[in-house]
Amino acid sequence: MTATLAKLRDLSQGRLDGITADEALGLDISGIELNAAEVGPGGMFAAVPGTKTHGARFVGQSQAVAVLTDTAGAEIIRAQGDSRPVLVVDSVRDVMGHVAAEIHGHPSESLTVIGVTGTSGKTTTTYLLEGSLLAAGCSTGIIGTTGTRINGRKVPSSLTTPEAPALQRLFHQMLAEGVTHVVMEVSSHALSLGRVNGVKFDVGCFLNLSQDHLDFHNTLEEYFQAKALLFDADGPLHAPNAVVCVDDDWGVRMAEVAGQNPSVAISTVETEHRTSTQTPHVPVRHRWRAAGATVAPNGLQSASLTCDGKDSVAIDVPLPGAFNVANAAVAWAVLSAIGQDSPKAQSGLGQVRVPGRMERIDEGQDFLAVVDYAHKPAAVAEVLATLRAQTSGRVIAVVGAGGDRDRAKRPIMGEAAAKGADIVIVTDDNPRSEDPAAIRASVLDGAYDAHSDATIEEIGDRGAAIRRAVEVAESGDSIVIAGKGHETGQDIGGVIHPFDDREQLRQALVDRNGATTTSAATSTTSTTSQPTTSKDA
């Protein structure tokens, strides 16, 4: 696919610097990239301002036939003596997604695209949707925290929501491979930075909102407004269908944001654990409610969903936790909205497994051991409450906090852990460029300030902390290793070290049980994969 430079100029409402010849305006642009060195022949380099330097300074590394940048970038390019055509716009990020979509032929318009946003549960909900759609016979793509897959096959990608050029390229690839439905996580970063501009969504989903990423958004209200861009009635991203969990007040507000456009069909979802007493003051097409949840000894759940007080459907929820009942209910409401709520989809939903999300690690021990991605205060509290409800013995939590991220949440995480667990082991997460001891100290302050009866320990080495949790566990206890979930690397001082909580926990259990070396070898197979440590809201 290609687009002419003249077409991109008109689309972006920009101006072409140094171009007068008609043949230059007719120049075909075959791709667009943010990394100058990755631009292929016939492509365009999108030079954006960075925190330390402007991308335009790297134009000399590019084969691009044209450049998309702002006024400052154009001045830098001309100062370097580069004479290539420059498309100058006020904000590159505002238009880059639309430009990329035009170049790739607007592939999302030929796909059913489901966008899922919220603080917690995005990955789980997208997996539930992917599993259901595949079981229903749909050719399905998924884009999110754990990567990108096409019909279950992993495709290289980065970030929870890829940058606009990569995202549109992925859509184009999926469409070429016959994909009909795409389920994607939409982070607040992606919405704020324009990564999903140019995407035509069919359904927008909102799960919940709690404190996270306030290093980027400054306040919870600003964080909410970023999420609301996916539902803004006057914005370009809102979908004809909105599915909103209204268990909390943030959800009620989001339903009202979506409802400002009377053409949007809104489905609300609530569970027995609803805390909000409000109802959206906008027309709602369908009201879904999940009730009667039962929990099996292994943590698997069943629940009954009703739509508008009738038409009950039973769903199996293949993960423990009340919050996962909400995630599954949202997934089912989405399937209903797009006409894919078939018995096959219902069966598929009950078979889903999500890496690093309440993932059980079993080596024959007489206590429950799980790994979960919970790295926010509310998520930690929910995970611990879930385990408490189904644990006859003690709850043991291994927790930490990431460096170079929202510092305010660190003591709150410690407090949540101390209030929810009997034993709390504070350890390192991804300290990044910060002093690990200082991060732990902040988490410990919150744990001690909780004034609970929990036993609190500090073990900086994460592997040692996991082994300690296994060492002290007794029959009937539950262990949760929280914070890193599916990640396969630990960022210490800017160096990514291979580290997987699931492997570490499994090995500790194997060592405790005196299992065979064959079982131990199984736990180390993924250390050679690319280490991942990204957390995108």
Side-chain angles (χ1 to χ4, degrees):
M1 304 298 291
T2 62
T4 65
L5 194 54
K7 175 68 173 178
L8 299 181
R9 178 199 60 184
D10 296 343
L11 175 69
S12 63
Q13 297 183 354
R15 64 178 176 85
L16 280 170
D17 182 74
I19 297 299
T20 56
D22 289 343
E23 63 183 59
L25 289 173
L27 187 65
D28 284 330
I29 306 299
S30 59
I32 182 171
E33 298 291 346
L34 272 169
N35 187 325
E38 293 179 357
V39 182
M44 172 177 273
F45 171 39
V48 300
T51 56
K52 296 180 180 179
T53 189
H54 200 293
R57 298 192 182 280
F58 303 97
V59 70
Q61 301 177 12
S62 175
Q63 301 181 64
V65 296
V67 182
L68 172 68
T69 192
D70 54 19
T71 301
E75 292 174 354
I76 292 169
I77 290 168
R78 293 306 180 227
Q80 294 178 2
D82 196 299
S83 61
R84 278 174 282 192
V86 178
L87 178 56
V88 184
V89 296
D90 292 335
S91 171
V92 180
R93 285 195 173 278
D94 284 350
V95 305
M96 183 168 57
H98 300 287
V99 168
E102 179 69 25
I103 292 171
H104 290 290
H106 299 278
S108 65
E109 293 182 0
S110 300
L111 298 163
T112 298
V113 182
I114 302 161
V116 181
T117 196
T119 303
S120 301
K122 294 188 297 297
T123 299
T124 296
T125 304
T126 57
Y127 267 73
L128 292 168
L129 283 164
E130 179 201 34
S132 300
L133 290 168
L134 286 172
C138 300
S139 182
T140 306
I142 187 170
I143 303 170
T145 307
T146 61
T148 298
R149 291 191 307 281
I150 296 177
N151 291 324
R153 187 187 85 251
K154 194 167 182 62
V155 176
S157 65
S158 61
L159 301 177
T160 298
T161 313
E163 291 281 7
L167 181 60
Q168 293 297 331
R169 193 167 58 249
L170 272 174
F171 285 149
H172 180 73
Q173 177 184 352
M174 288 178 174
L175 189 60
E177 294 193 27
V179 168
T180 56
H181 294 72
V182 177
V183 186
M184 63 179 295
E185 298 181 44
V186 183
S187 69
S188 60
H189 289 73
L191 289 160
S192 298
L193 296 173
R195 293 178 193 161
V196 290
N197 289 353
V199 178
K200 178 186 174 293
F201 289 99
D202 292 273
V203 187
C205 306
F206 177 78
L207 300 172
N208 50 58
L209 193 91
S210 61
Q211 181 168 340
D212 194 30
H213 298 283
L214 297 191
D215 54 324
F216 184 80
H217 296 290
N218 298 314
T219 66
L220 267 176
E221 179 61 27
E222 186 178 314
Y223 185 28
F224 173 81
Q225 293 300 333
K227 298 284 189 187
L229 292 171
L230 186 59
F231 303 89
D232 182 3
D234 296 323
L237 296 175
H238 76 268
N241 298 282
V243 176
V244 182
C245 182
V246 293
D247 272 357
D248 61 23
D249 290 344
W250 294 111
V252 174
R253 281 188 62 189
M254 197 63 82
E256 291 176 344
V257 169
Q260 297 306 306
N261 186 328
S263 68
V264 174
I266 300 173
S267 296
T268 60
V269 177
E270 63 180 78
T271 72
E272 294 173 297
H273 300 278
R274 188 168 192 252
T275 59
S276 178
T277 58
Q278 304 179 50
T279 55
H281 298 294
V282 292
V284 174
R285 179 169 297 185
H286 294 301
R287 291 177 170 85
W288 290 88
R289 188 170 192 275
T294 60
V295 185
N298 63 0
L300 303 185
Q301 304 179 89
S302 297
S304 176
L305 297 182
T306 56
C307 181
D308 303 323
K310 54 188 178 182
D311 300 329
S312 177
V313 59
I315 59 169
D316 291 328
V317 184
L319 301 158
F323 52 92
N324 281 321
V325 172
N327 294 334
V330 167
W332 188 257
V334 170
L335 293 168
S336 175
I338 61 174
Q340 292 293 338
D341 50 343
S342 66
K344 288 183 177 179
Q346 182 180 4
S347 175
L349 187 146
Q351 303 299 316
V352 173
R353 298 293 179 268
V354 187
R357 271 65 176 176
M358 293 299 279
E359 184 173 351
R360 290 176 293 134
I361 307 299
D362 190 357
E363 286 293 332
Q365 74 277 5
D366 56 359
F367 53 86
L368 179 64
V370 300
V371 169
D372 192 78
Y373 193 52
H375 57 277
K376 298 163 278 253
V380 170
E382 285 233 48
V383 165
L384 293 175
T386 292
L387 293 177
R388 174 70 68 195
Q390 58 188 75
T391 300
S392 60
R394 303 166 302 168
V395 174
I396 303 166
V398 176
V399 298
D404 301 334
R405 298 294 187 270
D406 181 7
R407 298 186 179 205
K409 76 177 183 181
R410 295 170 186 175
I412 307 174
M413 289 183 65
E415 179 183 14
K419 287 181 176 179
D422 299 288
I423 299 174
V424 177
I425 303 173
V426 176
T427 189
D428 294 340
D429 189 290
N430 293 312
R432 300 185 176 88
S433 70
E434 288 194 60
D435 176 12
I439 299 173
R440 295 196 303 271
S442 185
V443 177
L444 286 164
D445 285 344
Y448 288 124
D449 287 345
H451 300 295
S452 72
D453 294 328
T455 299
I456 300 167
E457 300 183 25
E458 177 185 11
I459 302 176
D461 182 284
R462 192 171 181 88
I466 292 170
R467 291 191 294 275
R468 172 63 175 165
V470 170
E471 176 186 310
V472 301
E474 299 174 356
S475 179
D477 288 349
S478 288
I479 293 174
V480 59
I481 314 301
K484 291 175 61 58
H486 66 282
E487 292 179 356
T488 57
Q490 185 178 26
D491 188 336
I492 303 173
V495 178
I496 308 297
H497 301 269
F499 194 98
D500 189 322
D501 281 353
R502 297 163 296 180
E503 294 177 357
Q504 296 284 331
L505 179 55
R506 189 180 302 280
Q507 187 63 59
L509 293 169
V510 166
D511 291 344
R512 171 181 167 127
N513 295 342
T516 66
T517 55
T518 300
S519 178
T522 302
S523 73
T524 63
T525 56
S526 68
T527 55
T528 58
S529 63
Q530 180 71 26
T532 58
T533 61
S534 64
K535 290 187 177 77
D536 213 355

